[in-house]
Amino acid sequence: MKLQQLTLNPEGEATLLFTSDGFQESEANLVLAFGERTFLESSQPYSFLKKRYPNSAIVICSTSGQIANSGLVENSLVVTGLSFEKTAIKTTQADIQLNSDIQSLGNTIKSELFSDDLKSILVISEGSFVNGTELITELNRQTNNSIPIFGGLAGDEYHFEKTIVGLNADATQGKIVAIGFYGEHIHFGFASEGGWSDFGPEREVTQSDKNVLYKIGDRFALDLYKEYLGKYAHELPGSSLYFPLSMKENSHSKPVVRTILSIDEKNKSMTFAGNIPVGSKVRLMKGNFDKLVDASYQAAYEIKEQQQQNPQLALLVSCVGRKIVLGNRTEEEIEAVKEVFGPNLLVCGFYSYGEISPSLNNVACELHNQTMTITTLYES
């Protein structure tokens, strides 16, 4: 596998950050391009990318911040080209605005991508309309929980207005892109860590509808949440990124983090980036700078301990909530990952509205919020 990475600024000027020896732009198989939604809409970068990488599948995704080998990048497109020597890829896409049936979407991805030598699937999904939990549940069902799936939901800086994704075209609303990787020569490592701390008692969800939470115990969810937020309550929904929820579906489940997307003052409900089923147990969480950075280090360390060969590329998908909390210390969680793997690893990725990753001991993927998820790749 050979790699290239560059940035493209609003004036259309490209700056090369990295190129593997022997990398040929005409031989690139896959290009991942991450940029802010407003940048993508104004610059329409697909024609530039198609001209530079004429034979590649090109994926464009809006973000809440781009991750490059040089660190956090804003106000520029980060482009990473991959040229596989022994690995085949296939791509497909669906439009959730044209067809909101998640099962139909899952059928499409399975029929287009599934075969005996499918090794893994990268999903880059719009983040405005899709119910991330339903998407992941359907993909796990279609693949019989046997194919690791990774990726994330597109972001929109801190605007939360709309997200856009494109496959072999400029990015638009509603698109969900899936890329299959095939053969025995491609190898992946997966890890996801949060670093948030629980506080307050554990409480049971008593009324919800998919990803809309109405009641916790005998209290309206929004009333209870505001009580705990105190002075931050008047800044909702933005301030909720500082205080996500930890959720366990049952007593045997591993906790997952759920981010609040919006609130409904009339119904006193909260809408999350993933489902909150009735009967599940929830606790509030809060962030600590050092613990968040340490979690990124730990996720990288988990992969390094399990892999026999040093990876060539790491795709980092981290949550917009982490970026808001870390502020000017955001670069530290990227540096923590690079510290573990050393200088020979190329890093790319983005800040998202939801992260998709298998857990360490489970092939089936999960939807994560407020985590740093890492996927490493190398060809043998």
Side-chain angles (χ1 to χ4, degrees), residues 113-135:
L113 298 185
F114 210 78
S115 70
D116 291 340
D117 61 343
L118 176 63
K119 194 72 173 286
S120 188
I121 299 173
L122 167 60
V123 173
I124 301 292
S125 171
E126 72 86 37
S128 305
F129 304 105
V130 70
N131 180 317
T133 301
E134 291 185 349
L135 173 65

Side-chain angles (χ1 to χ4, degrees), residues 179-200:
I179 303 104
F181 299 82
Y182 302 83
E184 293 304 312
H185 295 282
I186 185 74
H187 304 276
F188 296 89
F190 304 102
S192 176
E193 293 289 342
W196 300 83
S197 301
D198 294 330
F199 73 99

Side-chain angles (χ1 to χ4, degrees), residues 195-225:
W196 300 83
S197 301
D198 294 330
F199 73 99
E202 185 176 77
R203 300 171 186 265
E204 184 173 342
V205 173
T206 52
Q207 185 182 351
S208 67
D209 180 16
K210 296 181 180 177
N211 63 332
V212 182
L213 175 61
Y214 292 99
K215 282 193 171 183
I216 301 172
D218 60 354
R219 301 281 304 278
F220 284 108
L222 186 57
D223 287 347
L224 183 65
Y225 198 75

Side-chain angles (χ1 to χ4, degrees), residues 96-144:
I96 200 163
Q97 288 184 297
L98 297 177
N99 183 3
S100 60
D101 180 8
I102 289 289
Q103 186 171 343
S104 173
L105 187 152
N107 288 335
T108 298
I109 291 176
K110 182 177 182 179
S111 65
E112 294 284 335
L113 298 185
F114 210 78
S115 70
D116 291 340
D117 61 343
L118 176 63
K119 194 72 173 286
S120 188
I121 299 173
L122 167 60
V123 173
I124 301 292
S125 171
E126 72 86 37
S128 305
F129 304 105
V130 70
N131 180 317
T133 301
E134 291 185 349
L135 173 65
I136 299 312
T137 299
E138 178 61 23
L139 292 177
N140 282 334
R141 188 182 72 82
Q142 293 284 3
T143 57
N144 198 29

Side-chain angles (χ1 to χ4, degrees), residues 158-186:
Y158 305 145
H159 302 314
F160 293 91
E161 293 172 5
K162 63 177 179 176
T163 60
I164 55 176
V165 173
L167 172 63
N168 299 325
D170 279 306
T172 54
Q173 283 187 281
K175 301 298 189 297
I176 299 172
V177 172
I179 303 104
F181 299 82
Y182 302 83
E184 293 304 312
H185 295 282
I186 185 74

Side-chain angles (χ1 to χ4, degrees), residues 258-279:
R258 287 287 176 259
T259 298
I260 299 163
L261 295 181
S262 62
I263 61 172
D264 184 334
E265 294 281 1
K266 181 180 178 181
N267 293 311
K268 299 184 178 181
S269 65
M270 301 186 291
T271 300
F272 289 80
N275 287 356
I276 309 277
V278 170

Side-chain angles (χ1 to χ4, degrees), residues 27-314:
E27 295 176 2
N29 313 83
L30 177 64
V31 169
L32 302 175
F34 302 124
E36 289 99 339
R37 188 256 306 170
T38 50
F39 175 93
L40 296 178
E41 289 179 330
S42 62
S43 66
Q44 299 287 292
Y46 175 69
S47 59
F48 166 86
L49 297 171
K50 182 64 176 175
K51 184 175 181 180
R52 188 171 184 120
Y53 306 101
N55 301 309
S56 177
I58 296 170
V59 181
I60 302 172
C61 175
S62 69
T63 80
S64 297
Q66 297 73 255
I67 297 171
N69 212 47
S70 56
L72 181 67
V73 174
E74 295 180 318
N75 302 315
S76 288
L77 188 71
V78 174
V79 180
T80 305
L82 294 77
S83 179
F84 296 107
E85 298 175 77
K86 302 174 183 177
T87 301
I89 67 163
K90 294 180 187 174
T91 62
T92 187
Q93 70 173 336
D95 191 329
I96 200 163
Q97 288 184 297
L98 297 177
N99 183 3
S100 60
D101 180 8
I102 289 289
Q103 186 171 343
S104 173
L105 187 152
N107 288 335
T108 298
I109 291 176
K110 182 177 182 179
S111 65
E112 294 284 335
L113 298 185
F114 210 78
S115 70
D116 291 340
D117 61 343
L118 176 63
K119 194 72 173 286
S120 188
I121 299 173
L122 167 60
V123 173
I124 301 292
S125 171
E126 72 86 37
S128 305
F129 304 105
V130 70
N131 180 317
T133 301
E134 291 185 349
L135 173 65
I136 299 312
T137 299
E138 178 61 23
L139 292 177
N140 282 334
R141 188 182 72 82
Q142 293 284 3
T143 57
N144 198 29
N145 293 321
S146 62
I147 301 295
I149 300 169
F150 65 100
L153 309 184
D156 181 26
E157 300 173 70
Y158 305 145
H159 302 314
F160 293 91
E161 293 172 5
K162 63 177 179 176
T163 60
I164 55 176
V165 173
L167 172 63
N168 299 325
D170 279 306
T172 54
Q173 283 187 281
K175 301 298 189 297
I176 299 172
V177 172
I179 303 104
F181 299 82
Y182 302 83
E184 293 304 312
H185 295 282
I186 185 74
H187 304 276
F188 296 89
F190 304 102
S192 176
E193 293 289 342
W196 300 83
S197 301
D198 294 330
F199 73 99
E202 185 176 77
R203 300 171 186 265
E204 184 173 342
V205 173
T206 52
Q207 185 182 351
S208 67
D209 180 16
K210 296 181 180 177
N211 63 332
V212 182
L213 175 61
Y214 292 99
K215 282 193 171 183
I216 301 172
D218 60 354
R219 301 281 304 278
F220 284 108
L222 186 57
D223 287 347
L224 183 65
Y225 198 75
K226 283 183 174 181
E227 184 179 303
Y228 271 94
L229 258 60
K231 65 179 181 179
Y232 295 100
H234 71 280
E235 298 174 18
L236 282 167
S239 61
S240 67
L241 292 167
Y242 293 90
F243 301 97
L245 278 189
S246 168
M247 181 199 75
K248 292 197 298 184
E249 285 202 35
N250 55 61
S251 58
H252 306 295
S253 300
K254 181 181 177 183
V256 293
V257 185
R258 287 287 176 259
T259 298
I260 299 163
L261 295 181
S262 62
I263 61 172
D264 184 334
E265 294 281 1
K266 181 180 178 181
N267 293 311
K268 299 184 178 181
S269 65
M270 301 186 291
T271 300
F272 289 80
N275 287 356
I276 309 277
V278 170
S280 59
K281 300 294 198 299
V282 294
R283 293 182 72 184
L284 265 73
M285 309 183 86
K286 57 184 176 181
N288 171 284
F289 293 133
D290 293 331
K291 286 185 177 181
L292 293 177
V293 173
D294 287 346
S296 298
Y297 183 95
Q298 180 62 30
Y301 186 77
E302 289 170 8
I303 296 176
K304 187 174 177 64
E305 285 291 285
Q306 291 213 343
Q307 288 196 318
Q308 298 175 347
Q309 185 173 325
N310 289 332
Q312 295 169 273
L313 177 71

Side-chain angles (χ1 to χ4, degrees), residues 341-375:
F341 289 112
N344 296 323
L345 177 86
L346 185 69
V347 170
C348 71
F350 65 100
Y351 282 85
S352 74
Y353 284 177
E355 305 82 62
I356 301 169
S357 175
S359 56
L360 191 62
N361 300 311
N362 184 12
V363 171
C365 69
E366 296 180 35
L367 176 75
H368 303 270
N369 297 138
Q370 303 281 28
T371 58
M372 166 63 86
T373 64
I374 304 172
T375 300

